[in-house]
Structure formats: structure tokens, C-alpha cells
């Protein structure tokens, strides 16, 4: 179960960005793919330091836990500790993005993910769905929101 947790499945092999994320040559936006692949890879090995490096330096909105109204804006240095504590309580079994769609503009994408984890306390498995929003920042992409889906 998700108590101050968020998650997403691993890799993008089966998920291509929408055609609106393509450059004029028709190739998927490599920077977006690299960001999401890297985020998924870091999540799958519970690398809290690497995950913090994918976040918007101006802060990330985190909406996790039982109350969807409770929003927290964290700086990457604060999110580092959130991820560290999250992975201390839940071991990742798998993490994968299941769908990627454009947001309000070509500079923003929404990626749905599935995270399967095992509680370190109860040994029980849980599957959580997350929404990860990414935005273009100059030539790169950064994660600006992580939200648990209910």
C-alpha cells in the first residue's frame, strides 16, 4: 500500500512517446526517453540519489498516501530523503511506465507507471500506480510531479 510512497514501472521498451514528442526527423524525443528510462532504472534499483537528480531543481510536487488532497512541494535535496525512507520500507520488485501521453503542451508529458513492491515489515506485495509528469527544461527533461493514482 502507498503511505507517502510513489512509483512507476521499469523501462520504456513497450511504450513509445506520442508522435507529438517527435522531432522534425520523426524520431522520438531522445532526451525525454533518456529521462524516463533513467528514472525507471533508478526506481527499479531503489537509487534514491539518482532519482533526486531527475527532479526539477525548482521543486517537485509529490502527492502520495491516503489523502489525495495532501500535496507536498519538495526540493530535490528533500526528495532524496523521501525516496530513501520509501525504499527502506518497500523493496522494489518491478517498476515500469505503462503509458506516456502529451500534457497541456509539447513541453510537458505525463507518464503512468506501475510499481510492484514488497513491504519490509509484512513481506506482503503491493502494486501502486503513479503519474509522473515531466517538462522540457532547455534541452533536457525534468520530473515536476509524482502523484499516486487512485
Amino acid at each position: 500500500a502507498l503511505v507517502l510512497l510513489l512509483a512507476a514501472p521499469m523501462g520504456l521498451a513497450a511504450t513509445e512517446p506520442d508522435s507529438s514528442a517527435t522531432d522534425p526527423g520523426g524520431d522520438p524525443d531522445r532526451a525525454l526517453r533518456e529521462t524516463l528510462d533513467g528514472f525507471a532504472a533508478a526506481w527499479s534499483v531503489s537509487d534514491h540519489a539518482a532519482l533526486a537528480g531527475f527532479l526539477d531543481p525548482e521543486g517537485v510536487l509529490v502527492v502520495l498516501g491516503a489523502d489525495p488532497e495532501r500535496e507536498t512541494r519538495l526540493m530535490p535535496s528533500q526528495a532524496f530523503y523521501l525516496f530513501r525512507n520509501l525504499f527502506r520500507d518497500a523493496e522494489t520488485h518491478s517498476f515500469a511506465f505503462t503509458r506516456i501521453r502529451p500534457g497541456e503542451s509539447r513541453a510537458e508529458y505525463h507518464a503512468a507507471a506501475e510499481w510492484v513492491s514488497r513491504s519490509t515489515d509484512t513481506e506482503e506485495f503491493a502494486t501502486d500506480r503513479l503519474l509522473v509528469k515531466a517538462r522540457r527544461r532547455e534541452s533536457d527533461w525534468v520530473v515536476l510531479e509524482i502523484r499516486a493514482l487512485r
Side-chain angles (χ1 to χ4, degrees), residues 14-84:
T15 307
E16 292 291 326
D18 181 274
S19 60
S20 64
T22 60
D23 63 28
D27 292 332
D29 185 313
R30 287 187 196 144
L32 173 62
R33 177 173 294 285
E34 288 171 3
T35 297
L36 294 177
D37 279 345
F39 186 91
W43 194 288
S44 71
V45 296
S46 303
D47 187 341
H48 55 279
L51 284 169
F54 288 102
L55 306 180
D56 188 333
E58 295 178 12
V60 61
L61 181 65
V62 177
V63 184
L64 304 171
D67 184 1
E69 304 273 325
R70 185 173 178 211
E71 297 182 348
T72 305
R73 179 158 294 280
L74 300 173
M75 299 305 290
S77 59
Q78 295 168 309
F80 170 95
Y81 293 103
L82 174 99
F83 291 134
R84 182 188 70 181

Side-chain angles (χ1 to χ4, degrees), residues 63-140:
V63 184
L64 304 171
D67 184 1
E69 304 273 325
R70 185 173 178 211
E71 297 182 348
T72 305
R73 179 158 294 280
L74 300 173
M75 299 305 290
S77 59
Q78 295 168 309
F80 170 95
Y81 293 103
L82 174 99
F83 291 134
R84 182 188 70 181
N85 294 339
L86 171 68
F87 296 134
R88 185 181 303 152
D89 296 334
E91 295 175 353
T92 298
H93 183 264
S94 66
F95 180 95
F97 286 107
T98 57
R99 183 173 40 189
I100 302 168
R101 299 282 186 244
E104 296 175 15
S105 72
R106 289 185 58 185
E108 185 175 298
Y109 270 76
H110 301 175
E114 184 176 274
W115 178 37
V116 178
S117 63
R118 184 178 61 83
S119 168
T120 56
D121 290 336
T122 66
E123 304 283 320
E124 292 180 13
F125 282 87
T127 300
D128 294 300
R129 294 181 312 128
L130 299 176
L131 176 66
V132 176
K133 291 185 182 179
R135 176 175 291 153
R136 183 182 294 280
R137 181 173 216 115
E138 299 173 16
S139 63
D140 292 323

